């Protein structure tokens, strides 16, 4: 039995039965991290002493309880971890050590999970390639000349290259699903409000959501069961019971309807992605689904709406990094020059671009024309989905319009980069849950992911259908196993 191959459930059960210890699990993962992370650079911070202490204390505990007992989980570095440096991929927080942990981290630890390390991201989660990290880019484990996607690139790579069995990412406009697709792993963005955002470094508060990434749908469902639920510390978290996703996932779904959009609306997407999309639709029919053409007439405005709303919210959220309260502080004679210097040296190019854009959209006299108008179009997009979900149970779309691109290919052209979020942004705007699962390999052995979007709080059914789909796919891991395990 190779530890790296075990699913979360298998890991937990082996530990419970005393077949392996938590320390053995860490030893095994550490070996691969030491071997591969020098090149792939998925992690920003790993505190081995702390990791071993945690594993040891779990081994010493008599009661072997917890859904994630002994399971290493990699955490995106914009999610606070008490006592462990949390940078958000930014110079401005390079030395920030949080005094408390995010609710999701507390929940993971309560179930026996081990925070193995903090993963790289685009600065403040702004980007689609992890090239905007202030520290270093992360590389795609399928082809190291290519980007792993972003912004949760480190979390996707850690899972794909067997450096962690699972991870957490955050998704404001695709940051879990797009890197999951580029790296050939499963990534899930829950309904807005399903998971507490307390302790997530805010980017765009009306869109941000934390979610799991793993190598299979069941593992994703286990983590979702652990991290979901109402949290009095996040007033936007939803007060309703959380179904045990990992148990429900095995229940049958007999017949279902899934929505697809017309070919005209897929114009411009990569040929191989198109082919994989069609194959997935066939498979959805094979497993019992009925295909229905739906209309989402306002979908085409999503990118514009998103880049007004997200940048506006970001400009306001990032106002707190002023050199006085947090992070980098460049001492100056006047208060104004302290602000100016700390912010201009602390933030990178993309973050500054977004602060400028967002500040402009929110400025007096323009607010209605930009933020106001964008909010109205957001409502139209939500209405489109609401109407569609009266007819169908799911909507299937590609996760991204293209295969993983080369490092540097889009980094000088922000508009090109923004366009890669075409299919991932709409669920964030409509607050809907959506999963990305790997379905095939395109040219150069590059993975392709497909997205299943569900109705509000219908995570259970997305997971069920994704689980079924996964069982019917010839799987991609043999190649990754050969390279990394
Ligand atoms: N790529 C998108 C952006 O750059 C989404 C990022 C995210 O989901 N955090 O804003």
């Amino acid at each position: 039995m190779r530890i790296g191959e075990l699913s979360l459930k298998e890991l937990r059960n082996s530990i419970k039965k005393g077949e392996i210890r938590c320390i053995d699990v860490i030893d095994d993962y550490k070996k691969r991290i030491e071997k591969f992370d020098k090149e792939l650079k998925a992690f920003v911070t790993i505190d081995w002493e702390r990791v071993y202490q945690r594993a040891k204390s779990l081994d010493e505990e008599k009661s072997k309880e917890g859904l994630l007992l002994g399971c290493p989980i990699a955490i995106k570095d914009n999610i606070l971890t008490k006592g462990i440096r949390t940078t958000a991929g930014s110079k401005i927080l390079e030395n920030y050590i949080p005094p408390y942990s995010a609710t999701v981290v507390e929940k993971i630890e309560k179930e026996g999970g081990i925070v193995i390390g903090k993963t790289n991201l685009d600065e403040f989660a702004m980007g689609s390639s992890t090239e905007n990290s202030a520290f270093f880019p992360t590389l795609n484990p399928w082809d190291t000349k290519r980007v792993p996607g972003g912004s949760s690139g480190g979390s996707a790579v850690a899972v794909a290259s067997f450096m962690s069995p699972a991870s957490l990412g955050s998704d404001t406009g695709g940051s879990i699903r797009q890197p999951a697709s580029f790296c050939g792993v499963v990534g899930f963005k829950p309904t807005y409000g399903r998971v507490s955002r307390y302790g997530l470094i805010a980017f765009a508060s009306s869109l941000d959501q934390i979610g799991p990434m793993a190598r299979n749908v069941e593992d994703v469902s286990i983590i979702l069961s652990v991290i979901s639920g109402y949290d009095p510390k996040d007033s936007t978290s939803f007060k309703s019971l959380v179904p045990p996703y990992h148990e429900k996932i095995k229940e049958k779904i007999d017949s279902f309807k899934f929505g697809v959009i017309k070919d005209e609306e897929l114009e411009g997407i990569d040929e191989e992605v198109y082919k994989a999309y069609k194959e997935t639709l066939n498979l959805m029919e094979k497993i019992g689904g009925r295909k229905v053409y739906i209309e989402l007439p306002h979908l085409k405005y999503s990118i514009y709406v998103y880049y007004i709303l997200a940048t506006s919210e970001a400009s306001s959220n990032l106002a707190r990094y002023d050199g006085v309260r947090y992070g980098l502080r460049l001492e100056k004679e006047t208060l104004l020059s302290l602000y100016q210097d700390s912010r201009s040296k602390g933030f990178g190019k993309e973050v500054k671009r977004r602060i400028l854009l967002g500040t402009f959209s929110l400025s007096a006299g323009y607010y209605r024309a930009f933020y106001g108008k964008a909010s109205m179009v957001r409502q139209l997009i939500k209405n489109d989905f609401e109407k569609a979900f009266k007819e169908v149970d799911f909507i299937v779309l590609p996760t991204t319009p293209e295969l993983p691109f080369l490092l540097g290919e889009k980094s000088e052209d922000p508009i090109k980069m923004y366009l890669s979020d075409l299919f991932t942004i709409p669920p964030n705007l409509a607050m809907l849950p959506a999963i990305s699962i790997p379905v095939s390999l395109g040219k150069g052995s590059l993975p392709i992911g497909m997205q299943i979007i569900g109705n509000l709080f219908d995570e259970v059914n997305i997971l069920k259908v994704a689980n079924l789909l996964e069982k019917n796919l010839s799987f991609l891991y043999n190649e990754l196993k050969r390279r990394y395990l």
Side-chain angles (χ1 to χ4, degrees):
M1 176 188 63
R2 286 193 294 182
I3 289 176
E5 252 180 312
L6 301 180
S7 69
L8 295 181
K9 193 166 84 190
E10 289 165 341
L11 265 178
R12 180 224 308 158
N13 287 341
S14 304
I15 292 168
K16 261 190 189 161
K17 284 193 221 138
E19 291 165 359
I20 49 173
R21 299 167 307 164
C22 299
I23 298 260
D24 303 324
V25 178
I26 298 302
D27 280 343
D28 184 76
Y29 275 96
K30 182 165 183 260
K31 233 174 28 210
R32 275 185 304 279
I33 292 175
E34 282 175 346
K35 193 154 160 207
F36 299 116
D37 204 44
K38 275 199 252 4
E39 189 187 7
L40 299 175
K41 293 191 178 292
F43 289 95
V44 180
T45 305
I46 303 184
D47 181 344
W48 285 119
E49 210 184 295
R50 203 179 250 273
V51 174
Y52 272 100
Q53 244 170 32
R54 167 87 176 137
K56 216 173 125 217
S57 76
L58 285 169
D59 281 332
E60 281 162 5
E61 259 175 45
K62 290 226 166 45
S63 71
K64 297 269 174 256
E65 291 307 319
L67 269 180
L68 294 174
L69 180 67
C71 298
I73 312 284
I75 308 283
K76 186 176 182 180
D77 208 20
N78 60 352
I79 298 174
L80 303 191
T81 39
K82 185 176 175 180
I84 309 173
R85 185 171 79 123
T86 301
T87 67
S90 180
K91 284 252 179 290
I92 214 157
L93 289 178
E94 191 168 4
N95 300 310
Y96 176 60
I97 301 195
Y100 65 96
S101 279
T103 299
V104 288
V105 172
E106 282 187 348
K107 286 184 167 213
I108 283 175
E109 290 186 327
K110 201 163 149 251
E111 291 295 329
I114 302 174
V115 172
I116 188 150
K118 304 299 297 286
T119 57
N120 200 20
L121 67 155
D122 287 300
E123 186 175 0
F124 285 100
M126 298 174 187
S128 312
S129 67
T130 317
E131 291 166 294
N132 294 338
S133 162
F135 308 119
F136 40 76
T138 298
L139 310 183
N140 191 311
W142 294 84
D143 176 353
T144 52
K145 292 188 295 307
R146 293 180 186 270
V147 303
S151 63
S152 315
S155 285
V157 172
V159 170
S161 56
F162 295 85
M163 297 195 284
S164 182
S167 61
L168 288 186
S170 70
D171 193 313
T172 306
S175 278
I176 291 175
R177 290 158 288 152
Q178 188 254 19
S181 173
F182 276 14
C183 294
V185 301
V186 183
F188 197 108
K189 181 203 97 71
T191 308
Y192 183 81
R194 178 82 297 183
V195 176
S196 166
R197 291 182 294 114
Y198 182 73
L200 169 68
I201 294 178
F203 162 11
S205 310
S206 79
L207 301 157
D208 297 340
Q209 199 47 199
I210 296 172
M213 302 167 99
R215 285 189 295 268
N216 60 65
V217 177
E218 190 184 19
D219 284 357
V220 158
S221 75
I222 294 176
I223 299 183
L224 194 63
S225 298
V226 171
I227 63 174
S228 293
Y230 174 68
D231 177 8
K233 292 181 188 137
D234 172 5
S235 59
T236 63
S237 68
F238 196 65
K239 273 194 184 137
S240 79
L241 277 179
V242 177
Y245 299 111
H246 58 292
E247 287 167 15
K248 293 267 176 204
I249 194 176
K250 287 172 207 131
E251 290 173 7
K252 256 182 72 177
I253 30 170
D254 301 317
S255 61
F256 59 89
K257 285 196 255 176
F258 64 96
V260 300
I261 54 175
K262 302 216 176 70
D263 274 7
E264 299 95 82
E265 291 176 64
L266 294 168
E267 221 172 278
I269 75 168
D270 184 283
E271 240 173 73
E272 299 203 56
V273 175
Y274 179 77
K275 201 173 125 229
Y277 181 55
K278 293 288 158 173
E279 282 166 9
T280 307
L281 300 185
N282 290 341
L283 198 54
M284 289 287 281
E285 289 184 305
K286 214 180 98 189
I287 62 173
R290 215 177 90 215
K291 186 166 79 186
V292 176
Y293 281 95
I294 53 158
E295 309 237 351
L296 299 167
H298 300 93
L299 201 71
K300 52 182 176 290
Y301 305 119
S302 299
I303 294 189
Y304 315 109
V305 168
Y306 171 85
Y307 278 95
I308 292 173
L309 297 180
T311 55
S312 301
E313 293 182 24
S315 86
S316 135
N317 272 326
L318 270 57
R320 72 191 69 169
Y321 305 101
D322 53 10
V324 178
R325 284 170 287 192
Y326 298 90
L328 184 73
R329 175 192 185 97
L330 295 170
E331 293 295 347
K332 291 284 149 179
E333 270 127 48
T334 67
L335 184 62
L336 194 63
S337 56
L338 178 139
Y339 290 161
Q340 278 170 346
D341 260 46
S342 305
R343 287 171 70 83
S344 52
K345 300 231 161 58
F347 290 135
K349 204 160 114 193
E350 181 62 24
V351 173
K352 283 182 194 154
R353 179 183 293 126
R354 296 198 188 200
I355 292 175
L356 287 171
L357 268 169
T359 308
F360 179 77
S361 309
L362 290 179
S363 53
Y366 291 96
Y367 174 83
R368 262 170 209 272
F370 295 116
Y371 195 86
K373 194 82 170 194
S375 303
M376 281 150 83
V377 183
R378 178 180 190 175
Q379 188 59 48
L380 296 176
I381 294 167
K382 275 192 203 162
N383 296 350
D384 283 357
F385 277 107
E386 207 182 291
K387 206 168 141 217
F389 279 118
K390 291 212 168 91
E391 280 182 62
V392 297
D393 304 291
F394 310 104
I395 295 169
V396 186
L397 288 176
T399 306
T400 81
E402 74 239 306
L403 297 175
F405 44 88
L406 293 167
L407 284 145
E409 192 178 324
K410 300 190 186 203
S411 45
E412 292 311 311
D413 185 345
I415 303 286
K416 245 188 179 169
M417 192 72 94
Y418 299 168
L419 288 174
S420 40
D421 304 334
L422 183 65
F423 297 122
T424 47
I425 283 174
N428 297 79
L429 293 174
M431 301 180 155
L432 298 166
I435 199 167
S436 173
I437 64 164
V439 296
S440 66
L441 289 181
K443 56 175 176 283
S445 279
L446 295 173
I448 301 177
M450 287 294 143
Q451 192 179 196
I452 304 171
I453 306 167
N455 209 346
L456 294 169
F457 296 104
D458 199 20
E459 280 82 3
V460 165
N461 283 310
I462 298 181
L463 290 164
K464 275 192 205 168
V465 85
N467 193 35
L468 210 57
L469 211 55
E470 181 183 76
K471 304 242 167 331
N472 279 273
L473 290 164
S474 55
F475 220 56
L476 327 167
Y477 284 110
N478 294 340
E479 177 58 23
L480 281 177
K481 275 186 191 162
R482 195 178 61 71
R483 288 194 216 180
Y484 295 104
L485 202 62

